Amino acid sequence: MPEPRIGVVGATGAVGTVTLEYLRERGYANVRAFASARSAGTRLGDLTVEEATPEALSAGDLDLCLFSVGTATSRQLVPHAVRGGAVCIDKSSAYRLEPGIPLVVPEVNGERAREHDGILANPNCCTIPLTSALKPLHEEAGLARVRVATYQSMSGGGARAMERLRTTEPGAADLEMKWDFDGEDFDEEVKLRGETRKILELPDLPIAASCMRVPVMVGHAESVWIETVEPLAPERARELLARTLTLDDFPTPGRAAGRDDILVGRIRRDDTVLNGLAFLVVCDNLRKGAALNAIQIAELVLARQALHA
């Protein structure tokens, strides 16, 4: 199979730059960088940034496009890339809950990547670690209810949010909740619920979520409380989680930053409910929480194409 022709759209952003690093590390040589007109012509290593226009993306010279742009821009540009013959993996919320579009965490529901019609969605950066932890516990004992509180780093808000934290005077930083608000929920909480249900294929799973952004540069942490249908001892939960995640007694964003794995720890009984467990799950939101997960989806797609070549 010939070397895939890959386009990274949103290449100059916080996730886009990490995506390019991963592609280099994994040996992909035929890569192009796309961004807005403002960034066109700038250099990213040995790549010259091209403007992401409908014409450029639909020209028919790309096999795979990794989108790391806002929802509105994805909705505008992804269909043009698909029309040009590219398989698109989108990291925005534009397509995540669209019927018929796979929402994929490879370790959780990687088989869904086979079902695409040109578009696959990369989940929210908190949904990826959450579903990675919930899946083995559900398979063992069944999930009756999930409660989650997120502590999301500033890098989840993009390069401008990171710069704002850098220039904030010590002691002046505060919690943020700058998502759209419907009077009851932030849209980040709505996404976390809907995406988790879709990935786990549990449409009626009760999930309560509270999301906030904290003055940390990189790394999202989540406190999770679950109730299982059948009893599940903390010791058994540790065994199950250790198969796919990394056990850490006290996982923090600082310990997760720069790593590709998901950390899980403080796994303990929650005696306030029947069959209750509590734990922490943490990952680097720019890496496994975004760029790496998308590339892993892409590699599932490429592997399938190679089988049918």
Side-chain angles (χ1 to χ4, degrees), residues 232-247:
L232 180 61
E235 295 74 20
R236 177 58 177 161
R238 287 190 192 96
E239 291 176 13
L240 296 166
L241 292 167
R243 294 175 183 176
T244 53
L245 310 183
T246 299
L247 295 180

Side-chain angles (χ1 to χ4, degrees), residues 64-269:
L64 188 72
C65 279
L66 298 161
F67 279 80
S68 303
V69 295
T71 298
T73 303
S74 280
R75 288 197 181 278
Q76 176 193 1
L77 293 178
V78 166
H80 292 286
V82 172
R83 180 163 54 86
V87 175
C88 295
I89 298 161
D90 183 59
K91 300 187 188 76
S92 79
S93 61
Y95 299 101
R96 290 175 185 158
L97 298 180
E98 288 291 319
I101 293 181
L103 180 66
V104 180
V105 180
E107 299 88 343
V108 178
N109 65 337
E111 70 282 356
R112 293 298 180 202
R114 299 194 300 265
E115 302 169 1
H116 71 88
D117 289 319
I119 304 174
L120 300 99
N122 196 64
N124 180 282
C125 42
C126 284
T127 305
I128 291 168
L130 178 62
T131 55
S132 296
L134 292 179
K135 179 66 180 293
L137 304 180
H138 172 64
E139 289 179 335
E140 178 79 3
L143 289 174
R145 184 170 287 102
V146 176
R147 300 176 181 88
V148 57
T150 74
Y151 314 98
Q152 300 174 220
S153 66
M154 297 304 288
S155 56
R160 290 181 182 177
M162 295 170 73
E163 185 57 30
R164 188 167 69 249
L165 179 59
R166 287 190 189 96
T167 57
T168 298
E169 296 207 5
D174 200 357
L175 303 177
E176 290 186 2
M177 287 168 272
K178 293 184 177 180
W179 297 288
D180 290 339
F181 184 59
D182 66 8
E184 183 170 335
D185 286 317
F186 292 106
D187 69 345
E188 190 79 352
E189 295 158 352
V190 174
K191 289 181 210 171
L192 188 55
R193 271 200 305 272
E195 293 176 27
T196 298
R197 289 168 174 162
K198 181 174 179 177
I199 292 167
L200 295 177
E201 300 184 15
L202 296 171
D204 299 318
L205 178 65
I207 303 175
S210 292
C211 296
M212 66 185 74
R213 205 172 293 289
V214 297
V216 168
M217 194 63 75
V218 174
H220 287 2
E222 299 171 77
S223 292
V224 186
W225 297 263
I226 66 170
E227 296 175 51
T228 55
V229 177
E230 301 295 333
L232 180 61
E235 295 74 20
R236 177 58 177 161
R238 287 190 192 96
E239 291 176 13
L240 296 166
L241 292 167
R243 294 175 183 176
T244 53
L245 310 183
T246 299
L247 295 180
D248 188 304
D249 288 341
F250 303 106
T252 66
R255 293 164 78 95
R259 297 178 61 155
D260 291 344
D261 50 345
I262 298 170
L263 308 184
V264 62
R266 298 218 61 215
I267 304 161
R268 60 208 188 277
R269 197 179 304 279

Side-chain angles (χ1 to χ4, degrees), residues 42-58:
T42 60
R43 299 283 294 178
L44 289 173
D46 57 353
L47 299 177
T48 299
V49 177
E50 305 172 51
E51 184 179 354
T53 63
E55 295 74 22
L57 297 176
S58 63

